[in-house]
Amino acid sequence: MDRGRDVQSPPAQGGAAFLADAMLARLARWLRTLGCDTLLEPQRPDRELVAIAACEDRVLLTRDRHLVAFLRPAKVFIPASDVPLEQLAEVVAHCALPAPTELFTRCLVCNAPLRAATAEEAAAHVPPTVQGSPDPVRRCPGCGRVYWQGSHTRRMREALWRALPEWAP
């Protein structure tokens, strides 16, 4: 079984949904940054992960070769790298994911699609220096986290462009 290759299925096209195991939690967050629907179920046993991936037509992302060999998930990808941003580049290339039109549209914690924050939510949760900014403020309907464009998102964008230079503006 080759690492870094889809073991049993053809590459998923853009819009693929993913399920990452506990070993790939950081990869899951980077995929969410790109707007990819990426579940992370670190407490679930391997059999349940495979069942969820099959039931929801998700690509299982794992580095657990034993899981792949014995449970044979229908759609699986084993990143070769240990480095999360290199893993992200592998997934993007393998699944032929298109460059997103916008980043930070999913909650990095719970995976829910973000919605625009109300003016009251923004005023209550973002620093005063951000409140007059034209950049969007978003809120997660799942866990309630609030997201805005700040130095953290600038650093994340820079890291993404280094990992995926073909997507850099």
Side-chain angles (χ1 to χ4, degrees), residues 40-124:
L40 176 64
E41 299 282 349
Q43 304 302 322
R44 300 265 187 162
D46 292 349
R47 287 189 190 284
E48 286 183 32
L49 292 176
V50 171
I52 292 167
C55 181
E56 297 182 12
D57 195 29
R58 293 178 179 274
V59 176
L60 180 62
L61 302 171
T62 184
R63 300 220 40 229
D64 185 344
R65 296 166 59 111
H66 183 266
L67 177 156
V68 174
F70 288 96
L71 297 178
R72 301 186 182 277
K75 292 182 179 180
V76 62
F77 184 72
I78 304 171
S81 178
D82 291 329
V83 180
L85 282 168
E86 290 175 9
Q87 294 169 345
L88 179 66
E90 290 179 55
V91 171
V92 165
H94 177 76
C95 294
L97 297 178
T101 56
E102 189 175 12
L103 298 175
F104 306 106
T105 58
R106 283 195 172 271
C107 181
L108 301 182
V109 177
C110 76
N111 191 47
L114 300 176
R115 64 163 176 78
T118 65
E120 296 79 22
E121 290 169 334

Side-chain angles (χ1 to χ4, degrees), residues 127-148:
T129 56
V130 175
Q131 291 179 10
S133 170
D135 294 326
V137 175
R138 295 190 172 114
R139 182 154 195 172
C140 176
C143 68
R145 291 186 185 272
V146 177
Y147 294 85
W148 65 89

